[in-house]
PDB file of all heavy atoms in Angstrom:
ATOM      1  N   ASP A 138     -63.023  70.483 114.671  1.00  0.00           N
ATOM      2  CA  ASP A 138     -63.712  69.164 114.406  1.00  0.00           C
ATOM      3  C   ASP A 138     -64.255  69.066 112.981  1.00  0.00           C
ATOM      4  O   ASP A 138     -65.382  68.687 112.759  1.00  0.00           O
ATOM      5  CB  ASP A 138     -64.919  69.005 115.407  1.00  0.00           C
ATOM      6  CG  ASP A 138     -65.392  67.572 115.450  1.00  0.00           C
ATOM      7  OD1 ASP A 138     -64.615  66.660 115.059  1.00  0.00           O
ATOM      8  OD2 ASP A 138     -66.529  67.337 115.983  1.00  0.00           O
ATOM      9  N   ARG A 139     -63.430  69.483 112.052  1.00  0.00           N
ATOM     10  CA  ARG A 139     -63.833  69.505 110.621  1.00  0.00           C
ATOM     11  C   ARG A 139     -62.961  68.503 109.749  1.00  0.00           C
ATOM     12  O   ARG A 139     -62.979  68.586 108.588  1.00  0.00           O
ATOM     13  CB  ARG A 139     -63.754  70.915 110.002  1.00  0.00           C
ATOM     14  CG  ARG A 139     -64.632  71.886 110.616  1.00  0.00           C
ATOM     15  CD  ARG A 139     -64.382  73.299 110.017  1.00  0.00           C
ATOM     16  NE  ARG A 139     -64.470  73.211 108.485  1.00  0.00           N
ATOM     17  CZ  ARG A 139     -63.949  74.141 107.739  1.00  0.00           C
ATOM     18  NH1 ARG A 139     -63.258  75.097 108.314  1.00  0.00           N
ATOM     19  NH2 ARG A 139     -64.119  74.013 106.479  1.00  0.00           N
ATOM     20  N   SER A 140     -62.167  67.649 110.469  1.00  0.00           N
ATOM     21  CA  SER A 140     -61.282  66.799 109.726  1.00  0.00           C
ATOM     22  C   SER A 140     -62.144  65.589 109.205  1.00  0.00           C
ATOM     23  O   SER A 140     -63.328  65.346 109.626  1.00  0.00           O
ATOM     24  CB  SER A 140     -60.174  66.177 110.643  1.00  0.00           C
ATOM     25  OG  SER A 140     -60.795  65.565 111.738  1.00  0.00           O
ATOM     26  N   LEU A 141     -61.472  64.825 108.301  1.00  0.00           N
ATOM     27  CA  LEU A 141     -62.192  63.815 107.611  1.00  0.00           C
ATOM     28  C   LEU A 141     -62.205  62.448 108.388  1.00  0.00           C
ATOM     29  O   LEU A 141     -63.243  61.934 108.646  1.00  0.00           O
ATOM     30  CB  LEU A 141     -61.625  63.586 106.148  1.00  0.00           C
ATOM     31  CG  LEU A 141     -61.881  64.731 105.247  1.00  0.00           C
ATOM     32  CD1 LEU A 141     -61.251  64.398 103.893  1.00  0.00           C
ATOM     33  CD2 LEU A 141     -63.344  64.928 105.033  1.00  0.00           C
ATOM     34  N   THR A 142     -61.042  61.919 108.603  1.00  0.00           N
ATOM     35  CA  THR A 142     -61.019  60.613 109.163  1.00  0.00           C
ATOM     36  C   THR A 142     -60.164  60.510 110.383  1.00  0.00           C
ATOM     37  O   THR A 142     -60.530  60.078 111.487  1.00  0.00           O
ATOM     38  CB  THR A 142     -60.597  59.607 108.120  1.00  0.00           C
ATOM     39  OG1 THR A 142     -59.300  60.006 107.579  1.00  0.00           O
ATOM     40  CG2 THR A 142     -61.612  59.502 107.008  1.00  0.00           C
ATOM     41  N   THR A 143     -58.804  60.752 110.198  1.00  0.00           N
ATOM     42  CA  THR A 143     -57.945  60.375 111.269  1.00  0.00           C
ATOM     43  C   THR A 143     -57.746  61.457 112.368  1.00  0.00           C
ATOM     44  O   THR A 143     -57.430  61.148 113.545  1.00  0.00           O
ATOM     45  CB  THR A 143     -56.515  60.156 110.712  1.00  0.00           C
ATOM     46  OG1 THR A 143     -56.048  61.366 110.015  1.00  0.00           O
ATOM     47  CG2 THR A 143     -56.499  59.003 109.684  1.00  0.00           C
ATOM     48  N   LEU A 144     -57.922  62.724 111.993  1.00  0.00           N
ATOM     49  CA  LEU A 144     -57.769  63.768 113.014  1.00  0.00           C
ATOM     50  C   LEU A 144     -59.077  63.995 113.764  1.00  0.00           C
ATOM     51  O   LEU A 144     -60.108  64.022 113.157  1.00  0.00           O
ATOM     52  CB  LEU A 144     -57.333  65.137 112.353  1.00  0.00           C
ATOM     53  CG  LEU A 144     -55.930  65.065 111.590  1.00  0.00           C
ATOM     54  CD1 LEU A 144     -55.608  66.472 111.088  1.00  0.00           C
ATOM     55  CD2 LEU A 144     -54.867  64.560 112.549  1.00  0.00           C
ATOM     56  N   GLU A 145     -58.929  64.136 115.008  1.00  0.00           N
ATOM     57  CA  GLU A 145     -60.098  64.392 115.869  1.00  0.00           C
ATOM     58  C   GLU A 145     -59.749  65.526 116.794  1.00  0.00           C
ATOM     59  O   GLU A 145     -58.614  65.732 117.144  1.00  0.00           O
ATOM     60  CB  GLU A 145     -60.541  63.175 116.607  1.00  0.00           C
ATOM     61  CG  GLU A 145     -60.939  61.928 115.802  1.00  0.00           C
ATOM     62  CD  GLU A 145     -61.286  60.811 116.645  1.00  0.00           C
ATOM     63  OE1 GLU A 145     -61.201  60.913 117.892  1.00  0.00           O
ATOM     64  OE2 GLU A 145     -61.588  59.735 116.085  1.00  0.00           O
ATOM     65  N   ALA A 146     -60.768  66.370 117.189  1.00  0.00           N
ATOM     66  CA  ALA A 146     -60.544  67.422 118.108  1.00  0.00           C
ATOM     67  C   ALA A 146     -59.928  66.968 119.387  1.00  0.00           C
ATOM     68  O   ALA A 146     -60.446  66.067 119.999  1.00  0.00           O
ATOM     69  CB  ALA A 146     -61.883  68.189 118.352  1.00  0.00           C
ATOM     70  N   GLY A 147     -58.822  67.587 119.732  1.00  0.00           N
ATOM     71  CA  GLY A 147     -58.110  67.260 121.001  1.00  0.00           C
ATOM     72  C   GLY A 147     -57.341  65.932 120.933  1.00  0.00           C
ATOM     73  O   GLY A 147     -56.799  65.540 121.927  1.00  0.00           O
ATOM     74  N   ASP A 148     -57.310  65.252 119.841  1.00  0.00           N
ATOM     75  CA  ASP A 148     -56.598  64.034 119.716  1.00  0.00           C
ATOM     76  C   ASP A 148     -55.071  64.361 119.386  1.00  0.00           C
ATOM     77  O   ASP A 148     -54.700  64.584 118.285  1.00  0.00           O
ATOM     78  CB  ASP A 148     -57.131  63.187 118.588  1.00  0.00           C
ATOM     79  CG  ASP A 148     -56.548  61.768 118.602  1.00  0.00           C
ATOM     80  OD1 ASP A 148     -55.444  61.590 119.175  1.00  0.00           O
ATOM     81  OD2 ASP A 148     -57.183  60.840 117.990  1.00  0.00           O
ATOM     82  N   VAL A 149     -54.281  64.399 120.466  1.00  0.00           N
ATOM     83  CA  VAL A 149     -52.883  64.842 120.345  1.00  0.00           C
ATOM     84  C   VAL A 149     -52.137  63.833 119.478  1.00  0.00           C
ATOM     85  O   VAL A 149     -51.289  64.148 118.662  1.00  0.00           O
ATOM     86  CB  VAL A 149     -52.206  64.975 121.746  1.00  0.00           C
ATOM     87  CG1 VAL A 149     -50.728  65.341 121.553  1.00  0.00           C
ATOM     88  CG2 VAL A 149     -52.962  65.999 122.543  1.00  0.00           C
ATOM     89  N   GLY A 150     -52.366  62.483 119.743  1.00  0.00           N
ATOM     90  CA  GLY A 150     -51.684  61.495 119.001  1.00  0.00           C
ATOM     91  C   GLY A 150     -51.920  61.599 117.463  1.00  0.00           C
ATOM     92  O   GLY A 150     -50.955  61.478 116.663  1.00  0.00           O
TER      93      GLY A 150
END
Side-chain angles (χ1 to χ4, degrees):
D138 196 19
R139 295 175 55 199
S140 60
L141 291 180
T142 54
T143 59
L144 298 184
E145 298 178 1
D148 190 341
V149 177

